[in-house]
Amino acid sequence: MGVGGCLALPWRCLVVLCLRLLFLVPAGVPVRSGDATFPKAMDNVTVRQGESATLRCSVDNRVTRVAWLNRSSILYWCLDPRVVLLANTKTQYSIQIQDVDVYDEGPYTCSVQTDNHPKTSRVHLIVQVSPKITEISSDISINEGGNVSLTCIATGRPDPTITWRHISPKAVGFISEDEYLEITGITREQSGEYECSASNDVSAPVVQRVKVTVNYPPYISDAKSTGVPVGQKGILLCEASAVPSADFQWYKDDKRLAEGQKGLKVENKAFFSRLTFFNVSEQDYGNYTCVASNQLGNTNASMILYGERG
Ligand SMILES: *[C@@H]1O[C@H](CO)[C@@H](O)[C@H](O)[C@H]1NC(C)=O
Ligand SMILES: *[C@@H]1O[C@H](CO)[C@@H](O)[C@H](O)[C@H]1NC(C)=O
Ligand SMILES: *[C@@H]1O[C@H](CO)[C@@H](O)[C@H](O)[C@H]1NC(C)=O
Ligand SMILES: *[C@@H]1O[C@H](CO)[C@@H](O)[C@H](O)[C@H]1NC(C)=O
Ligand SMILES: *[C@@H]1O[C@H](CO)[C@@H](O)[C@H](O)[C@H]1NC(C)=O
Ligand SMILES: *[C@@H]1O[C@H](CO)[C@@H](O)[C@H](O)[C@H]1NC(C)=O
């Protein structure tokens, strides 16, 4: 009875086939890999996890029995429902292992019996797995000058290559070809997004980003004195950068300007504070001080609102 007959009577044949095949190759038969004569089989079969692997074994009409074995079992029908017979012809005996997983990796043997002489050939099944980032640092907020350590752990087969890149328009393109990215004495220019990329050529690289916020005390970049004629609208502007963004306060000489003072408007935004005099009078002229502060410190700048001919 051939294997073709078995397809029609699976259950009875399952036992018969498995028993026949079990006696085909004595345990411990040395495997001659790269047997150039017969049977001929591929050396390496590479598939991705979850895909199907086809193992082909060439046969001819001298062959009376043929089987595919892995390290421990005869594969077709005997054990694993993922193994299906793909071709059983006069020239080929092929099986397919469906939904391949990493534990399927390893050597497979095609065992052929011709005139009572068993012959074997081996293929090596290589299972590839797309990269996957399994652990990555959380977004972090750090004071300028501090040390930052970012971690990115990824799995995959073959082992993925891990790189870190600084994504930022003003970035200096910092690169680390390692799971760990260490930044000592971080500067405000080094704030922004850091991208971890894991690649192993099995599929597109996997990327994930970590946001690094660098805190620093306010720095007043612009505070100009302004000349305004009496009766006109006057504006004093105080520009400051800070992380977290600064709180602003205004003083005239030593006196703090009250919010909602008549004829005066104070607008505070993340990067500036604007003082608007709707109708400048002589009393408005003088020395104004803008104080910008956050939890890391404060700074101030003074400017003069002075009279000018209208
Ligand atoms: C089969 O794969 C192994 C391991 O990846 C490799 O060393 C060997 O060169 C490959 N053989 C062939 C014929 O590609
Ligand atoms: C051999 O194949 C059987 C059926 O696919 C499977 O259950 C078993 O884990 C495999 N053993 C090895 C060592 O690969
Ligand atoms: C940062 O690292 C440097 C060098 O390793 C060390 O000298 C310094 O004390 C560290 N600073 C902080 C704030 O941990
Ligand atoms: C500005 O104030 C002066 C003096 O109080 C007043 O005479 C004038 O009408 C005001 N101008 C405007 C545009 O409100
Ligand atoms: C304005 O006031 C500040 C702080 O009180 C002071 O340091 C600065 O010299 C003054 N500017 C002028 C022009 O008086
Ligand atoms: C402005 O800064 C100086 C120097 O840091 C400080 O002595 C002064 O008190 C500050 N003025 C205000 C109004 O905060």
Side-chain angles (χ1 to χ4, degrees):
M1 186 167 79
V3 181
C6 280
L7 289 169
L9 293 165
W11 285 110
R12 259 180 66 193
C13 289
L14 178 72
V15 179
V16 177
L17 182 72
C18 290
L19 288 175
R20 278 172 141 201
L21 293 176
L22 280 169
F23 291 111
L24 195 62
V25 182
V29 157
V31 172
R32 283 162 288 164
S33 61
D35 186 340
T37 56
F38 181 84
K40 185 94 180 94
M42 309 173 256
D43 286 327
N44 279 342
V45 175
T46 303
V47 293
R48 291 178 197 177
Q49 185 182 38
E51 292 182 347
S52 299
T54 300
L55 306 181
R56 291 193 176 85
C57 188
S58 300
V59 294
D60 68 13
N61 52 18
R62 288 179 297 155
V63 169
T64 52
R65 285 164 200 169
V66 59
W68 272 106
L69 304 89
N70 67 358
R71 264 168 265 163
S72 63
S73 328
I74 295 163
L75 291 178
Y76 178 55
W77 271 358
C78 299
L79 284 168
D80 196 325
R82 295 179 303 132
V83 180
V84 295
L85 183 62
L86 212 60
N88 178 26
T89 66
K90 284 196 165 71
T91 56
Q92 203 182 83
Y93 180 77
S94 304
I95 59 162
Q96 190 177 63
I97 306 170
Q98 293 169 340
D99 193 17
V100 164
D101 212 334
V102 289
Y103 57 76
D104 294 317
E105 184 163 296
Y108 287 75
T109 305
C110 176
S111 175
V112 169
Q113 187 150 328
T114 340
D115 311 325
N116 294 322
H117 298 300
K119 290 196 172 194
T120 61
S121 71
R122 286 224 291 189
V123 303
H124 197 89
L125 181 64
I126 296 169
V127 182
Q128 297 187 325
V129 182
S130 302
K132 185 179 171 200
I133 294 174
T134 54
E135 189 193 324
I136 188 158
S137 299
S138 316
D139 291 351
I140 181 175
S141 173
I142 177 113
N143 293 346
E144 194 168 37
N147 298 337
V148 173
S149 176
L150 300 180
T151 304
C152 179
I153 309 286
T155 57
R157 288 161 78 104
D159 280 341
T161 301
I162 297 171
T163 57
W164 277 104
R165 198 157 67 95
H166 186 192
I167 313 279
S168 182
K170 53 190 170 185
V172 203
F174 195 100
I175 294 240
S176 162
E177 299 204 341
D178 191 26
E179 294 171 335
Y180 305 99
L181 174 63
E182 309 280 350
I183 307 171
T184 49
I186 195 165
T187 65
R188 60 193 74 175
E189 289 75 28
Q190 288 174 310
S191 69
E193 303 230 295
Y194 286 79
E195 186 180 84
C196 168
S197 167
S199 63
N200 68 357
D201 294 334
V202 175
S203 61
V206 178
V207 299
Q208 233 169 296
R209 289 184 179 188
V210 176
K211 193 176 174 197
V212 175
T213 305
V214 179
N215 301 314
Y216 57 93
Y219 164 78
I220 294 178
S221 52
D222 198 17
K224 277 197 277 291
S225 294
T226 309
V228 182
V230 166
Q232 301 262 305
K233 184 172 163 182
I235 291 175
L236 291 177
L237 191 64
C238 177
E239 284 181 15
S241 63
V243 176
S245 50
D247 290 326
F248 293 94
Q249 284 169 6
W250 286 94
Y251 291 80
K252 186 183 184 206
D253 301 318
D254 292 333
K255 205 162 159 276
R256 179 146 175 218
L257 289 186
E259 295 271 344
Q261 200 166 310
K262 202 162 165 267
L264 192 66
K265 187 167 84 174
V266 183
E267 286 170 277
N268 291 330
K269 294 279 154 57
F271 296 105
F272 67 86
S273 178
R274 183 163 48 203
L275 204 55
T276 305
F277 302 86
F278 293 109
N279 183 359
V280 170
S281 68
E282 287 284 350
Q283 293 87 339
D284 292 327
Y285 294 140
N287 187 348
Y288 290 83
T289 301
C290 159
V291 179
S293 59
N294 69 6
Q295 59 256 52
L296 296 185
N298 67 79
T299 185
N300 63 61
S302 295
M303 62 206 95
I304 311 293
L305 183 70
Y306 57 91
E308 208 179 44
R309 253 181 232 145

